[in-house]
Amino acid sequence: MLRQISIYSILFLSLVALTFFLSIYYSDETKESENENINIFQAKDVNLKLNSFGSDFDINLNSKMINGLSDSKILSIFNPIINLKNSEIDVNISAKNSELNYETNELFIPQKTTFKGKYFNMPFNGIADQIKFNLSQNKILFSGNLELFFDGKEYKGKNIEINTKLKSIINSQNLSVKKIDDSKSK
């Protein structure tokens, strides 16, 4: 009887060990198959030319790296230099990162960034908390604070939305214009 108990105990422990090893094997295989379903697109040292049929801007984007998930419509762009240009304006924007949603034709810069350029060959520069370009609707939204220096004046405001086709401000908060005193800067 002791011998039968020993044999059953060995068989029982073998069955437990086999179940344990099989469950570990299949759980690792499940994790690997989950990871295989996540495909990441990645490109380094990229120069893109972005155009939208309804937009009046030509946009060039240079970036150290662009990546995104294969099933997503959003690309993450790192250290971009963005150049927007049409017949009246030429703007260069440098940022830490940005996102391009190619389904909605939107370019979003989520962090404070600086920009400079020319409007009818007159220089300007500025700082914005966030910038969102909607290329299909010809709109630019400066979320948060915006400071712009142009033609001897300082323009400040919050949440400013511009229609680039109509060349007008659609929405703004706390918009102010102040003449810059050149004698103070000398």
Side-chain angles (χ1 to χ4, degrees):
M1 172 107 167
L2 185 60
R3 188 172 185 190
Q4 285 180 335
I5 292 176
S6 299
I7 292 174
Y8 286 127
S9 297
I10 291 173
L11 287 174
F12 177 72
L13 289 175
S14 298
L15 182 62
V16 168
L18 180 63
T19 305
F20 176 73
F21 288 118
L22 286 176
S23 65
I24 288 175
Y25 174 76
Y26 283 114
S27 68
D28 285 345
E29 191 173 281
T30 303
K31 288 178 186 176
E32 287 175 12
S33 67
E34 287 174 1
N35 290 339
E36 288 175 5
N37 291 336
I38 299 174
N39 293 321
I40 296 176
F41 164 79
Q42 188 174 59
K44 293 183 180 180
D45 297 323
V46 178
N47 184 5
L48 293 175
K49 185 169 183 161
L50 307 172
N51 289 327
S52 178
F53 289 115
S55 178
D56 58 343
F57 282 104
D58 289 328
I59 300 174
N60 287 317
L61 187 139
N62 292 309
S63 175
K64 294 291 179 190
M65 184 170 64
I66 294 177
N67 67 24
L69 298 175
S70 63
D71 60 344
S72 175
K73 304 292 185 206
I74 297 174
L75 295 175
S76 297
I77 305 166
F78 300 95
N79 298 319
I81 298 171
I82 303 162
N83 178 261
L84 286 92
K85 192 175 191 176
N86 67 13
S87 61
E88 301 164 351
I89 193 165
D90 187 358
V91 182
N92 285 311
I93 303 168
S94 298
K96 289 182 182 178
N97 62 8
S98 64
E99 295 175 351
L100 175 64
N101 185 330
Y102 55 87
E103 183 174 53
T104 60
N105 288 324
E106 292 178 331
L107 179 65
F108 178 58
I109 302 170
Q111 297 176 338
K112 188 175 238 179
T113 188
T114 61
F115 56 91
K116 63 182 178 177
K118 291 185 178 183
Y119 181 68
F120 285 110
N121 291 321
M122 294 180 63
F124 67 87
N125 62 58
I127 301 170
D129 284 344
Q130 293 181 348
I131 306 173
K132 186 178 203 176
F133 299 94
N134 187 322
L135 304 174
S136 297
Q137 296 179 3
N138 292 299
K139 292 181 182 176
I140 302 173
L141 174 63
F142 296 95
S143 296
N145 294 315
L146 169 69
E147 291 182 41
L148 178 71
F149 302 94
F150 174 69
D151 195 25
K153 296 177 183 147
E154 176 186 51
Y155 299 84
K156 284 186 176 183
K158 288 186 177 184
N159 303 323
I160 298 172
E161 188 173 10
I162 298 171
N163 185 316
T164 60
K165 273 277 202 236
L166 301 174
K167 299 176 182 121
S168 64
I169 296 175
I170 300 170
N171 193 8
S172 68
Q173 296 174 349
N174 303 328
L175 190 59
S176 68
V177 179
K178 179 178 150 184
K179 186 170 179 156
I180 299 172
D181 187 5
D182 287 338
S183 64
K184 288 182 181 179
S185 64
K186 291 182 182 179

